[in-house]
Amino acid sequence: MTITLTKEEQDAQVQHNEYCYAGGLVEYVAWLNNDKKPLHDPIAFRKELDGIIVDVSLQWCSDSYSDTVLGYANSIRTVDGGTHIEGLKTSLTRTINSFAKKSKIMKDKDISLSGEHVREGMTCIISVKVPNPEFEGQTKTRLGNPEVRRIVEQSVQENLTEYLELHPDVLDSILSKSLNALKAALAAKRARELVRTKSVLKSSSLPGKLADCASSNPAESEIFIVEGDSAGGSAKQGRDRKFQAILPLRGKILNIERRDEAAMYKNEEIQNLILGLGLGVKVHVVLF
Protein backbone atom coordinates (compact mmCIF):
# COMPACT_ATOMS: atom_id res chain seq x y z
CA MET A 1 0.00 0.00 0.00
CA THR A 2 1.21 3.50 -0.90
CA ILE A 3 -0.22 6.56 0.86
CA THR A 4 0.28 9.97 -0.75
CA LEU A 5 -0.50 13.18 1.11
CA THR A 6 -0.82 16.34 -0.96
CA LYS A 7 -0.90 19.82 0.51
CA GLU A 8 -2.34 22.50 -1.83
CA GLU A 9 -2.73 26.12 -0.85
CA GLN A 10 -3.60 29.14 -2.93
CA ASP A 11 -0.52 30.97 -4.19
CA ALA A 12 1.72 28.34 -2.56
CA GLN A 13 3.85 25.51 -3.83
CA VAL A 14 2.17 22.10 -3.85
CA GLN A 15 3.74 19.64 -1.38
CA HIS A 16 3.66 15.86 -1.70
CA ASN A 17 4.55 13.27 0.97
CA GLU A 18 4.56 9.61 -0.02
CA TYR A 19 4.63 6.69 2.41
CA CYS A 20 5.37 3.20 1.20
CA TYR A 21 7.10 0.34 3.06
CA ALA A 22 8.03 -2.18 0.40
CA GLY A 23 9.41 -4.58 2.99
CA GLY A 24 6.07 -5.01 4.74
CA LEU A 25 6.24 -6.72 8.13
CA VAL A 26 9.99 -7.32 7.79
CA GLU A 27 10.61 -3.60 7.54
CA TYR A 28 8.18 -3.04 10.43
CA VAL A 29 10.14 -5.39 12.71
CA ALA A 30 13.47 -3.89 11.64
CA TRP A 31 12.15 -0.41 12.46
CA LEU A 32 11.01 -1.53 15.93
CA ASN A 33 14.49 -2.96 16.59
CA ASN A 34 16.50 -0.10 15.08
CA ASP A 35 18.03 0.84 18.46
CA LYS A 36 18.70 -2.76 19.58
CA LYS A 37 21.25 -5.46 18.78
CA PRO A 38 19.56 -8.13 16.62
CA LEU A 39 20.83 -11.69 16.81
CA HIS A 40 19.83 -12.37 13.19
CA ASP A 41 17.98 -10.95 10.20
CA PRO A 42 14.17 -10.82 10.51
CA ILE A 43 12.42 -14.12 9.84
CA ALA A 44 9.29 -13.83 7.70
CA PHE A 45 6.79 -16.26 6.21
CA ARG A 46 3.25 -16.41 4.84
CA LYS A 47 0.77 -19.26 4.70
CA GLU A 48 -2.79 -19.53 3.41
CA LEU A 49 -5.08 -22.29 4.63
CA ASP A 50 -8.88 -22.64 4.47
CA GLY A 51 -9.18 -19.08 3.19
CA ILE A 52 -7.19 -17.61 6.12
CA ILE A 53 -3.89 -15.84 5.38
CA VAL A 54 -1.18 -15.73 8.06
CA ASP A 55 1.76 -13.30 7.79
CA VAL A 56 4.47 -13.38 10.44
CA SER A 57 7.80 -11.62 10.91
CA LEU A 58 9.98 -12.00 14.02
CA GLN A 59 13.47 -11.24 15.27
CA TRP A 60 15.38 -11.81 18.53
CA CYS A 61 17.72 -9.19 20.04
CA SER A 62 20.59 -9.84 22.43
CA ASP A 63 20.20 -6.67 24.51
CA SER A 64 16.47 -6.92 25.24
CA TYR A 65 14.85 -8.82 28.12
CA SER A 66 11.21 -8.28 27.22
CA ASP A 67 9.13 -9.26 24.21
CA THR A 68 7.08 -7.19 21.77
CA VAL A 69 4.23 -9.01 20.04
CA LEU A 70 1.86 -6.97 17.85
CA GLY A 71 -1.19 -8.55 16.30
CA TYR A 72 -3.43 -7.48 13.42
CA ALA A 73 -6.63 -9.01 12.07
CA ASN A 74 -7.80 -7.70 8.68
CA SER A 75 -5.41 -4.75 9.21
CA ILE A 76 -7.11 -3.90 12.54
CA ARG A 77 -4.75 -3.65 15.52
CA THR A 78 -5.86 -6.24 18.09
CA VAL A 79 -4.49 -4.62 21.24
CA ASP A 80 -6.25 -7.19 23.45
CA GLY A 81 -4.79 -10.15 21.59
CA GLY A 82 -6.91 -13.05 20.47
CA THR A 83 -6.70 -16.53 19.02
CA HIS A 84 -3.99 -15.56 16.51
CA ILE A 85 -1.69 -14.36 19.32
CA GLU A 86 -2.43 -17.45 21.43
CA GLY A 87 -1.63 -19.76 18.52
CA LEU A 88 1.60 -17.90 17.81
CA LYS A 89 2.87 -18.09 21.39
CA THR A 90 1.93 -21.76 21.82
CA SER A 91 3.61 -22.82 18.59
CA LEU A 92 6.76 -20.78 19.28
CA THR A 93 7.25 -22.39 22.69
CA ARG A 94 6.61 -25.90 21.38
CA THR A 95 8.92 -25.48 18.38
CA ILE A 96 11.89 -24.04 20.31
CA ASN A 97 11.55 -26.70 23.04
CA SER A 98 11.53 -29.38 20.36
CA PHE A 99 14.79 -28.05 18.88
CA ALA A 100 16.35 -27.79 22.35
CA LYS A 101 15.67 -31.48 23.01
CA LYS A 102 16.77 -32.59 19.54
CA SER A 103 20.07 -30.72 19.78
CA LYS A 104 20.76 -32.32 23.20
CA ILE A 105 21.17 -28.87 24.75
CA MET A 106 18.38 -29.84 27.12
CA LYS A 107 17.76 -33.33 28.42
CA ASP A 108 14.34 -34.93 28.78
CA LYS A 109 14.54 -34.62 32.56
CA ASP A 110 15.36 -30.89 32.41
CA ILE A 111 12.78 -28.19 32.94
CA SER A 112 11.22 -27.14 29.64
CA LEU A 113 11.50 -23.60 28.41
CA SER A 114 8.41 -21.57 29.18
CA GLY A 115 6.88 -19.05 26.81
CA GLU A 116 8.47 -16.09 28.56
CA HIS A 117 11.92 -17.68 28.25
CA VAL A 118 11.47 -18.34 24.53
CA ARG A 119 10.09 -14.87 23.80
CA GLU A 120 12.69 -12.93 25.79
CA GLY A 121 14.19 -10.32 23.48
CA MET A 122 11.81 -11.19 20.63
CA THR A 123 9.94 -8.71 18.45
CA CYS A 124 7.13 -10.25 16.42
CA ILE A 125 4.37 -8.95 14.13
CA ILE A 126 1.53 -11.26 13.12
CA SER A 127 -1.15 -10.24 10.65
CA VAL A 128 -4.06 -12.49 9.70
CA LYS A 129 -6.73 -12.06 7.04
CA VAL A 130 -9.98 -13.77 8.07
CA PRO A 131 -13.07 -13.93 5.82
CA ASN A 132 -15.52 -13.71 8.73
CA PRO A 133 -13.73 -12.17 11.71
CA GLU A 134 -15.30 -12.32 15.17
CA PHE A 135 -14.14 -9.52 17.42
CA GLU A 136 -14.70 -9.72 21.18
CA GLY A 137 -14.55 -7.33 24.10
CA GLN A 138 -16.13 -3.98 24.71
CA THR A 139 -13.76 -2.24 22.31
CA LYS A 140 -13.84 -5.09 19.75
CA THR A 141 -10.05 -5.34 19.73
CA ARG A 142 -9.70 -9.07 20.43
CA LEU A 143 -9.98 -11.73 17.72
CA GLY A 144 -12.20 -14.65 18.77
CA ASN A 145 -12.22 -17.05 15.80
CA PRO A 146 -11.18 -20.46 17.21
CA GLU A 147 -10.13 -21.83 13.80
CA VAL A 148 -7.51 -19.09 13.48
CA ARG A 149 -5.53 -20.46 16.43
CA ARG A 150 -5.16 -23.88 14.80
CA ILE A 151 -4.08 -22.43 11.47
CA VAL A 152 -1.58 -20.04 13.08
CA GLU A 153 -0.07 -22.85 15.18
CA GLN A 154 0.37 -25.01 12.08
CA SER A 155 1.80 -22.17 10.02
CA VAL A 156 4.32 -21.06 12.65
CA GLN A 157 5.50 -24.60 13.41
CA GLU A 158 5.99 -25.61 9.76
CA ASN A 159 7.67 -22.42 8.55
CA LEU A 160 9.79 -21.71 11.63
CA THR A 161 11.00 -25.32 11.75
CA GLU A 162 11.98 -25.20 8.09
CA TYR A 163 13.81 -21.89 8.51
CA LEU A 164 15.76 -22.91 11.62
CA GLU A 165 16.80 -26.23 10.06
CA LEU A 166 18.29 -24.30 7.14
CA HIS A 167 19.92 -21.68 9.42
CA PRO A 168 21.57 -23.53 12.33
CA ASP A 169 23.49 -20.41 13.40
CA VAL A 170 20.21 -18.56 13.99
CA LEU A 171 18.87 -21.57 15.90
CA ASP A 172 21.95 -21.63 18.15
CA SER A 173 21.62 -17.93 18.99
CA ILE A 174 17.90 -18.28 19.82
CA LEU A 175 18.48 -21.37 21.97
CA SER A 176 21.34 -19.66 23.81
CA LYS A 177 19.17 -16.60 24.50
CA SER A 178 16.28 -18.76 25.75
CA LEU A 179 18.49 -20.93 27.98
CA ASN A 180 20.09 -17.85 29.54
CA ALA A 181 16.61 -16.54 30.29
CA LEU A 182 15.73 -19.84 31.98
CA LYS A 183 18.93 -19.81 34.05
CA ALA A 184 18.32 -16.21 35.14
CA ALA A 185 14.76 -17.09 36.17
CA LEU A 186 15.95 -20.09 38.20
CA ALA A 187 18.67 -18.00 39.85
CA ALA A 188 16.12 -15.33 40.75
CA LYS A 189 13.85 -17.99 42.23
CA ARG A 190 16.70 -19.42 44.34
CA ALA A 191 17.64 -15.93 45.47
CA ARG A 192 14.08 -15.13 46.54
CA GLU A 193 13.85 -18.41 48.43
CA LEU A 194 17.16 -17.68 50.12
CA VAL A 195 16.02 -14.21 51.17
CA ARG A 196 12.84 -15.67 52.66
CA THR A 197 14.80 -18.41 54.43
CA LYS A 198 17.22 -15.85 55.79
CA SER A 199 14.42 -13.77 57.31
CA VAL A 200 12.94 -16.89 58.91
CA LEU A 201 16.29 -17.99 60.33
CA LYS A 202 16.70 -14.69 62.17
CA SER A 203 14.17 -15.91 64.69
CA SER A 204 14.64 -19.69 64.45
CA SER A 205 17.43 -22.25 64.04
CA LEU A 206 20.97 -21.46 62.87
CA PRO A 207 22.23 -22.30 59.35
CA GLY A 208 24.09 -25.58 58.91
CA LYS A 209 26.33 -26.53 61.85
CA LEU A 210 27.09 -22.98 62.95
CA ALA A 211 28.15 -22.69 66.58
CA ASP A 212 27.16 -19.11 67.36
CA CYS A 213 28.83 -16.79 69.84
CA ALA A 214 27.14 -15.11 72.78
CA SER A 215 27.75 -11.55 71.60
CA SER A 216 25.37 -9.96 69.08
CA ASN A 217 27.72 -7.03 68.39
CA PRO A 218 29.28 -7.52 64.92
CA ALA A 219 32.08 -5.10 65.72
CA GLU A 220 33.59 -7.48 68.29
CA SER A 221 32.41 -10.83 66.91
CA GLU A 222 34.47 -13.25 64.81
CA ILE A 223 33.50 -16.25 62.69
CA PHE A 224 35.91 -19.05 61.76
CA ILE A 225 35.11 -21.10 58.65
CA VAL A 226 36.74 -24.51 59.06
CA GLU A 227 36.89 -27.60 56.86
CA GLY A 228 34.90 -30.58 58.11
CA ASP A 229 33.23 -31.59 61.36
CA SER A 230 36.46 -32.76 62.99
CA ALA A 231 38.10 -29.37 62.56
CA GLY A 232 34.89 -27.77 63.73
CA GLY A 233 34.94 -29.81 66.95
CA SER A 234 38.54 -28.84 67.73
CA ALA A 235 37.84 -25.17 66.97
CA LYS A 236 34.79 -25.16 69.23
CA GLN A 237 36.85 -26.47 72.14
CA GLY A 238 39.51 -23.79 71.76
CA ARG A 239 37.34 -20.77 71.03
CA ASP A 240 36.13 -17.97 73.24
CA ARG A 241 32.36 -18.48 73.26
CA LYS A 242 31.77 -14.82 74.06
CA PHE A 243 32.77 -13.46 70.63
CA GLN A 244 33.99 -16.36 68.43
CA ALA A 245 31.66 -18.42 66.20
CA ILE A 246 32.54 -21.58 64.23
CA LEU A 247 31.02 -22.65 60.88
CA PRO A 248 32.19 -26.07 59.59
CA LEU A 249 31.96 -26.65 55.81
CA ARG A 250 32.84 -29.66 53.74
CA GLY A 251 35.93 -29.47 51.49
CA LYS A 252 35.61 -28.06 47.98
CA ILE A 253 31.99 -26.95 47.93
CA LEU A 254 31.56 -25.65 44.36
CA ASN A 255 33.59 -24.19 41.50
CA ILE A 256 31.46 -21.11 40.94
CA GLU A 257 33.48 -19.98 37.91
CA ARG A 258 32.08 -22.93 35.94
CA ARG A 259 28.52 -22.93 37.28
CA ASP A 260 25.63 -20.55 36.78
CA GLU A 261 24.03 -18.52 39.55
CA ALA A 262 21.06 -20.88 39.86
CA ALA A 263 23.41 -23.73 40.82
CA MET A 264 25.33 -21.46 43.17
CA TYR A 265 22.28 -20.41 45.16
CA LYS A 266 21.04 -24.02 45.20
CA ASN A 267 24.25 -25.26 46.88
CA GLU A 268 23.61 -25.96 50.56
CA GLU A 269 27.08 -24.94 51.74
CA ILE A 270 26.88 -21.58 49.96
CA GLN A 271 23.43 -21.04 51.44
CA ASN A 272 24.88 -21.65 54.91
CA LEU A 273 27.67 -19.15 54.19
CA ILE A 274 25.24 -16.47 53.05
CA LEU A 275 22.94 -17.02 56.02
CA GLY A 276 25.73 -17.38 58.57
CA LEU A 277 27.53 -14.23 57.44
CA GLY A 278 24.31 -12.26 57.03
CA LEU A 279 25.01 -11.53 53.38
CA GLY A 280 22.53 -10.50 50.71
CA VAL A 281 22.11 -11.79 47.15
CA LYS A 282 22.95 -10.12 43.88
CA VAL A 283 20.29 -7.51 43.17
CA HIS A 284 20.27 -7.88 39.38
CA VAL A 285 19.45 -11.60 39.74
CA VAL A 286 16.28 -10.77 41.65
CA LEU A 287 15.23 -8.19 39.07
CA PHE A 288 15.56 -10.48 36.02
mmCIF file of all heavy atoms in Angstrom, residues 45 47 54-56 58 84 87-93 95 124 126 149-164:
data_model
loop_
_atom_site.group_PDB
_atom_site.id
_atom_site.type_symbol
_atom_site.label_atom_id
_atom_site.label_comp_id
_atom_site.label_asym_id
_atom_site.label_seq_id
_atom_site.Cartn_x
_atom_site.Cartn_y
_atom_site.Cartn_z
ATOM 1 N N PHE A 45 7.442 -15.218 7.007
ATOM 2 C CA PHE A 45 6.795 -16.256 6.211
ATOM 3 C C PHE A 45 5.300 -15.962 6.096
ATOM 4 O O PHE A 45 4.735 -15.204 6.893
ATOM 5 C CB PHE A 45 7.028 -17.650 6.816
ATOM 6 C CG PHE A 45 6.718 -17.762 8.274
ATOM 7 C CD1 PHE A 45 5.424 -17.982 8.720
ATOM 8 C CD2 PHE A 45 7.724 -17.638 9.216
ATOM 9 C CE1 PHE A 45 5.144 -18.090 10.074
ATOM 10 C CE2 PHE A 45 7.459 -17.741 10.577
ATOM 11 C CZ PHE A 45 6.164 -17.973 11.003
ATOM 12 N N LYS A 47 1.456 -18.011 5.002
ATOM 13 C CA LYS A 47 0.769 -19.264 4.696
ATOM 14 C C LYS A 47 -0.724 -18.989 4.572
ATOM 15 O O LYS A 47 -1.289 -18.215 5.352
ATOM 16 C CB LYS A 47 1.002 -20.308 5.793
ATOM 17 C CG LYS A 47 0.401 -21.677 5.483
ATOM 18 C CD LYS A 47 0.714 -22.683 6.570
ATOM 19 C CE LYS A 47 0.118 -24.054 6.268
ATOM 20 N NZ LYS A 47 0.716 -24.662 5.053
ATOM 21 N N VAL A 54 -1.990 -16.021 6.871
ATOM 22 C CA VAL A 54 -1.181 -15.730 8.056
ATOM 23 C C VAL A 54 0.155 -15.157 7.609
ATOM 24 O O VAL A 54 0.890 -15.797 6.858
ATOM 25 C CB VAL A 54 -0.950 -16.991 8.913
ATOM 26 C CG1 VAL A 54 -0.082 -16.662 10.132
ATOM 27 C CG2 VAL A 54 -2.277 -17.589 9.348
ATOM 28 N N ASP A 55 0.467 -13.943 8.041
ATOM 29 C CA ASP A 55 1.756 -13.298 7.786
ATOM 30 C C ASP A 55 2.461 -13.077 9.110
ATOM 31 O O ASP A 55 1.873 -12.500 10.035
ATOM 32 C CB ASP A 55 1.566 -11.951 7.090
ATOM 33 C CG ASP A 55 1.370 -12.102 5.594
ATOM 34 O OD1 ASP A 55 2.251 -12.687 4.944
ATOM 35 O OD2 ASP A 55 0.330 -11.643 5.086
ATOM 36 N N VAL A 56 3.717 -13.513 9.194
ATOM 37 C CA VAL A 56 4.475 -13.381 10.437
ATOM 38 C C VAL A 56 5.888 -12.912 10.119
ATOM 39 O O VAL A 56 6.503 -13.353 9.146
ATOM 40 C CB VAL A 56 4.547 -14.723 11.209
ATOM 41 C CG1 VAL A 56 5.411 -14.586 12.468
ATOM 42 C CG2 VAL A 56 3.157 -15.201 11.585
ATOM 43 N N LEU A 58 9.467 -12.029 12.648
ATOM 44 C CA LEU A 58 9.979 -12.005 14.015
ATOM 45 C C LEU A 58 11.498 -11.942 14.021
ATOM 46 O O LEU A 58 12.163 -12.360 13.074
ATOM 47 C CB LEU A 58 9.487 -13.200 14.818
ATOM 48 C CG LEU A 58 9.914 -14.610 14.416
ATOM 49 C CD1 LEU A 58 9.675 -15.585 15.559
ATOM 50 C CD2 LEU A 58 9.138 -15.116 13.204
ATOM 51 N N HIS A 84 -5.202 -15.554 17.335
ATOM 52 C CA HIS A 84 -3.991 -15.561 16.505
ATOM 53 C C HIS A 84 -2.737 -15.372 17.363
ATOM 54 O O HIS A 84 -1.706 -16.013 17.115
ATOM 55 C CB HIS A 84 -4.073 -14.495 15.416
ATOM 56 C CG HIS A 84 -4.287 -13.100 15.903
ATOM 57 N ND1 HIS A 84 -5.097 -12.797 16.974
ATOM 58 C CD2 HIS A 84 -3.791 -11.901 15.464
ATOM 59 C CE1 HIS A 84 -5.109 -11.492 17.168
ATOM 60 N NE2 HIS A 84 -4.313 -10.934 16.274
ATOM 61 N N GLY A 87 -2.217 -18.723 19.373
ATOM 62 C CA GLY A 87 -1.634 -19.764 18.518
ATOM 63 C C GLY A 87 -0.168 -19.515 18.246
ATOM 64 O O GLY A 87 0.649 -20.446 18.231
ATOM 65 N N LEU A 88 0.201 -18.250 18.042
ATOM 66 C CA LEU A 88 1.599 -17.896 17.807
ATOM 67 C C LEU A 88 2.473 -18.258 19.002
ATOM 68 O O LEU A 88 3.514 -18.914 18.855
ATOM 69 C CB LEU A 88 1.699 -16.399 17.515
ATOM 70 C CG LEU A 88 3.099 -15.799 17.494
ATOM 71 C CD1 LEU A 88 3.829 -16.213 16.234
ATOM 72 C CD2 LEU A 88 3.049 -14.280 17.601
ATOM 73 N N LYS A 89 2.066 -17.851 20.201
ATOM 74 C CA LYS A 89 2.873 -18.089 21.391
ATOM 75 C C LYS A 89 2.994 -19.587 21.688
ATOM 76 O O LYS A 89 4.081 -20.073 22.036
ATOM 77 C CB LYS A 89 2.258 -17.358 22.587
ATOM 78 C CG LYS A 89 2.356 -15.845 22.495
ATOM 79 C CD LYS A 89 1.748 -15.172 23.710
ATOM 80 C CE LYS A 89 1.905 -13.650 23.649
ATOM 81 N NZ LYS A 89 1.310 -12.987 24.845
ATOM 82 N N THR A 90 1.896 -20.315 21.556
ATOM 83 C CA THR A 90 1.934 -21.755 21.824
ATOM 84 C C THR A 90 2.877 -22.479 20.871
ATOM 85 O O THR A 90 3.695 -23.305 21.274
ATOM 86 C CB THR A 90 0.524 -22.357 21.702
ATOM 87 O OG1 THR A 90 -0.345 -21.729 22.653
ATOM 88 C CG2 THR A 90 0.540 -23.850 21.964
ATOM 89 N N SER A 91 2.781 -22.152 19.594
ATOM 90 C CA SER A 91 3.612 -22.820 18.591
ATOM 91 C C SER A 91 5.081 -22.446 18.740
ATOM 92 O O SER A 91 5.963 -23.297 18.566
ATOM 93 C CB SER A 91 3.118 -22.447 17.196
ATOM 94 O OG SER A 91 3.772 -23.216 16.213
ATOM 95 N N LEU A 92 5.369 -21.196 19.068
ATOM 96 C CA LEU A 92 6.755 -20.776 19.284
ATOM 97 C C LEU A 92 7.403 -21.575 20.405
ATOM 98 O O LEU A 92 8.519 -22.097 20.262
ATOM 99 C CB LEU A 92 6.802 -19.283 19.626
ATOM 100 C CG LEU A 92 6.869 -18.280 18.480
ATOM 101 C CD1 LEU A 92 6.754 -16.860 19.025
ATOM 102 C CD2 LEU A 92 8.138 -18.446 17.685
ATOM 103 N N THR A 93 6.707 -21.667 21.529
ATOM 104 C CA THR A 93 7.250 -22.387 22.688
ATOM 105 C C THR A 93 7.469 -23.861 22.363
ATOM 106 O O THR A 93 8.522 -24.426 22.691
ATOM 107 C CB THR A 93 6.293 -22.253 23.885
ATOM 108 O OG1 THR A 93 6.060 -20.864 24.148
ATOM 109 C CG2 THR A 93 6.886 -22.902 25.119
ATOM 110 N N THR A 95 7.899 -25.285 19.411
ATOM 111 C CA THR A 95 8.918 -25.485 18.384
ATOM 112 C C THR A 95 10.330 -25.323 18.954
ATOM 113 O O THR A 95 11.217 -26.153 18.694
ATOM 114 C CB THR A 95 8.710 -24.491 17.230
ATOM 115 O OG1 THR A 95 7.405 -24.668 16.667
ATOM 116 C CG2 THR A 95 9.751 -24.703 16.138
ATOM 117 N N CYS A 124 7.894 -9.460 17.389
ATOM 118 C CA CYS A 124 7.128 -10.251 16.415
ATOM 119 C C CYS A 124 5.880 -9.482 15.985
ATOM 120 O O CYS A 124 5.196 -8.869 16.815
ATOM 121 C CB CYS A 124 6.736 -11.597 17.014
ATOM 122 S SG CYS A 124 5.745 -12.622 15.893
ATOM 123 N N ILE A 126 2.355 -10.272 13.786
ATOM 124 C CA ILE A 126 1.526 -11.262 13.122
ATOM 125 C C ILE A 126 0.282 -10.572 12.572
ATOM 126 O O ILE A 126 -0.375 -9.810 13.284
ATOM 127 C CB ILE A 126 1.139 -12.425 14.059
ATOM 128 C CG1 ILE A 126 0.203 -13.392 13.319
ATOM 129 C CG2 ILE A 126 0.525 -11.929 15.359
ATOM 130 C CD1 ILE A 126 -0.056 -14.685 14.066
ATOM 131 N N ARG A 149 -6.604 -19.965 15.561
ATOM 132 C CA ARG A 149 -5.532 -20.462 16.429
ATOM 133 C C ARG A 149 -4.885 -21.710 15.830
ATOM 134 O O ARG A 149 -3.654 -21.819 15.794
ATOM 135 C CB ARG A 149 -6.076 -20.766 17.818
ATOM 136 C CG ARG A 149 -5.046 -21.428 18.718
ATOM 137 C CD ARG A 149 -5.490 -21.486 20.147
ATOM 138 N NE ARG A 149 -4.465 -22.105 20.979
ATOM 139 C CZ ARG A 149 -4.387 -21.999 22.292
ATOM 140 N NH1 ARG A 149 -5.284 -21.279 22.943
ATOM 141 N NH2 ARG A 149 -3.421 -22.595 22.957
ATOM 142 N N ARG A 150 -5.698 -22.650 15.367
ATOM 143 C CA ARG A 150 -5.155 -23.881 14.797
ATOM 144 C C ARG A 150 -4.312 -23.599 13.562
ATOM 145 O O ARG A 150 -3.217 -24.160 13.396
ATOM 146 C CB ARG A 150 -6.315 -24.824 14.449
ATOM 147 C CG ARG A 150 -5.898 -26.073 13.676
ATOM 148 C CD ARG A 150 -7.096 -26.920 13.328
ATOM 149 N NE ARG A 150 -8.080 -26.190 12.541
ATOM 150 C CZ ARG A 150 -7.995 -26.038 11.210
ATOM 151 N NH1 ARG A 150 -6.967 -26.553 10.534
ATOM 152 N NH2 ARG A 150 -8.938 -25.379 10.558
ATOM 153 N N ILE A 151 -4.790 -22.727 12.703
ATOM 154 C CA ILE A 151 -4.076 -22.429 11.467
ATOM 155 C C ILE A 151 -2.775 -21.684 11.751
ATOM 156 O O ILE A 151 -1.740 -21.943 11.128
ATOM 157 C CB ILE A 151 -4.990 -21.618 10.522
ATOM 158 C CG1 ILE A 151 -6.152 -22.508 10.060
ATOM 159 C CG2 ILE A 151 -4.212 -21.079 9.337
ATOM 160 C CD1 ILE A 151 -7.197 -21.795 9.238
ATOM 161 N N VAL A 152 -2.799 -20.763 12.712
ATOM 162 C CA VAL A 152 -1.577 -20.035 13.078
ATOM 163 C C VAL A 152 -0.547 -20.989 13.688
ATOM 164 O O VAL A 152 0.644 -20.933 13.361
ATOM 165 C CB VAL A 152 -1.901 -18.888 14.057
ATOM 166 C CG1 VAL A 152 -0.613 -18.299 14.631
ATOM 167 C CG2 VAL A 152 -2.698 -17.801 13.353
ATOM 168 N N GLU A 153 -0.985 -21.872 14.570
ATOM 169 C CA GLU A 153 -0.069 -22.849 15.177
ATOM 170 C C GLU A 153 0.616 -23.684 14.101
ATOM 171 O O GLU A 153 1.832 -23.894 14.132
ATOM 172 C CB GLU A 153 -0.834 -23.762 16.137
ATOM 173 C CG GLU A 153 -1.196 -23.123 17.465
ATOM 174 C CD GLU A 153 -1.810 -24.120 18.424
ATOM 175 O OE1 GLU A 153 -1.715 -25.344 18.162
ATOM 176 O OE2 GLU A 153 -2.393 -23.696 19.437
ATOM 177 N N GLN A 154 -0.174 -24.181 13.150
ATOM 178 C CA GLN A 154 0.374 -25.014 12.080
ATOM 179 C C GLN A 154 1.341 -24.222 11.206
ATOM 180 O O GLN A 154 2.424 -24.707 10.852
ATOM 181 C CB GLN A 154 -0.771 -25.573 11.231
ATOM 182 C CG GLN A 154 -0.317 -26.479 10.097
ATOM 183 C CD GLN A 154 -1.490 -27.040 9.312
ATOM 184 O OE1 GLN A 154 -2.629 -27.051 9.788
ATOM 185 N NE2 GLN A 154 -1.224 -27.491 8.098
ATOM 186 N N SER A 155 0.963 -23.000 10.882
ATOM 187 C CA SER A 155 1.797 -22.167 10.019
ATOM 188 C C SER A 155 3.136 -21.843 10.678
ATOM 189 O O SER A 155 4.196 -21.968 10.049
ATOM 190 C CB SER A 155 1.046 -20.876 9.678
ATOM 191 O OG SER A 155 1.867 -19.998 8.952
ATOM 192 N N VAL A 156 3.095 -21.430 11.942
ATOM 193 C CA VAL A 156 4.323 -21.060 12.647
ATOM 194 C C VAL A 156 5.233 -22.274 12.814
ATOM 195 O O VAL A 156 6.451 -22.186 12.580
ATOM 196 C CB VAL A 156 3.991 -20.437 14.013
ATOM 197 C CG1 VAL A 156 5.261 -20.227 14.836
ATOM 198 C CG2 VAL A 156 3.262 -19.110 13.833
ATOM 199 N N GLN A 157 4.672 -23.406 13.190
ATOM 200 C CA GLN A 157 5.495 -24.600 13.410
ATOM 201 C C GLN A 157 6.172 -25.050 12.115
ATOM 202 O O GLN A 157 7.379 -25.327 12.101
ATOM 203 C CB GLN A 157 4.635 -25.728 13.970
ATOM 204 C CG GLN A 157 5.430 -26.993 14.258
ATOM 205 C CD GLN A 157 4.587 -28.079 14.908
ATOM 206 O OE1 GLN A 157 3.407 -27.870 15.184
ATOM 207 N NE2 GLN A 157 5.177 -29.218 15.162
ATOM 208 N N GLU A 158 5.429 -25.126 11.025
ATOM 209 C CA GLU A 158 5.994 -25.607 9.762
ATOM 210 C C GLU A 158 7.069 -24.659 9.227
ATOM 211 O O GLU A 158 8.176 -25.082 8.883
ATOM 212 C CB GLU A 158 4.873 -25.770 8.734
ATOM 213 C CG GLU A 158 3.920 -26.915 9.031
ATOM 214 C CD GLU A 158 2.816 -27.009 7.997
ATOM 215 O OE1 GLU A 158 2.781 -26.150 7.076
ATOM 216 O OE2 GLU A 158 1.973 -27.921 8.103
ATOM 217 N N ASN A 159 6.755 -23.375 9.172
ATOM 218 C CA ASN A 159 7.673 -22.416 8.553
ATOM 219 C C ASN A 159 8.877 -22.114 9.436
ATOM 220 O O ASN A 159 9.999 -21.998 8.934
ATOM 221 C CB ASN A 159 6.923 -21.124 8.231
ATOM 222 C CG ASN A 159 5.949 -21.286 7.082
ATOM 223 O OD1 ASN A 159 6.305 -21.210 5.916
ATOM 224 N ND2 ASN A 159 4.691 -21.524 7.412
ATOM 225 N N LEU A 160 8.662 -21.991 10.745
ATOM 226 C CA LEU A 160 9.790 -21.710 11.634
ATOM 227 C C LEU A 160 10.729 -22.909 11.704
ATOM 228 O O LEU A 160 11.960 -22.747 11.720
ATOM 229 C CB LEU A 160 9.278 -21.344 13.028
ATOM 230 C CG LEU A 160 10.337 -20.862 14.028
ATOM 231 C CD1 LEU A 160 11.049 -19.628 13.503
ATOM 232 C CD2 LEU A 160 9.693 -20.564 15.377
ATOM 233 N N THR A 161 10.176 -24.109 11.735
ATOM 234 C CA THR A 161 11.002 -25.321 11.748
ATOM 235 C C THR A 161 11.860 -25.403 10.491
ATOM 236 O O THR A 161 13.062 -25.681 10.556
ATOM 237 C CB THR A 161 10.120 -26.573 11.865
ATOM 238 O OG1 THR A 161 9.392 -26.540 13.096
ATOM 239 C CG2 THR A 161 10.972 -27.837 11.818
ATOM 240 N N GLU A 162 11.247 -25.152 9.353
ATOM 241 C CA GLU A 162 11.983 -25.201 8.086
ATOM 242 C C GLU A 162 13.097 -24.161 8.061
ATOM 243 O O GLU A 162 14.222 -24.448 7.641
ATOM 244 C CB GLU A 162 11.020 -24.971 6.922
ATOM 245 C CG GLU A 162 11.698 -25.002 5.562
ATOM 246 C CD GLU A 162 10.719 -24.752 4.421
ATOM 247 O OE1 GLU A 162 9.510 -24.603 4.691
ATOM 248 O OE2 GLU A 162 11.172 -24.692 3.260
ATOM 249 N N TYR A 163 12.802 -22.953 8.539
ATOM 250 C CA TYR A 163 13.812 -21.890 8.514
ATOM 251 C C TYR A 163 14.981 -22.208 9.432
ATOM 252 O O TYR A 163 16.155 -22.057 9.057
ATOM 253 C CB TYR A 163 13.170 -20.561 8.921
ATOM 254 C CG TYR A 163 14.134 -19.395 8.900
ATOM 255 C CD1 TYR A 163 14.308 -18.637 7.744
ATOM 256 C CD2 TYR A 163 14.893 -19.070 10.023
ATOM 257 C CE1 TYR A 163 15.205 -17.573 7.710
ATOM 258 C CE2 TYR A 163 15.791 -18.010 10.001
ATOM 259 C CZ TYR A 163 15.944 -17.267 8.839
ATOM 260 O OH TYR A 163 16.838 -16.237 8.803
ATOM 261 N N LEU A 164 14.692 -22.659 10.655
ATOM 262 C CA LEU A 164 15.765 -22.913 11.622
ATOM 263 C C LEU A 164 16.610 -24.122 11.229
ATOM 264 O O LEU A 164 17.799 -24.177 11.542
ATOM 265 C CB LEU A 164 15.162 -23.115 13.015
ATOM 266 C CG LEU A 164 14.486 -21.868 13.624
ATOM 267 C CD1 LEU A 164 13.900 -22.194 14.983
ATOM 268 C CD2 LEU A 164 15.469 -20.713 13.722
#
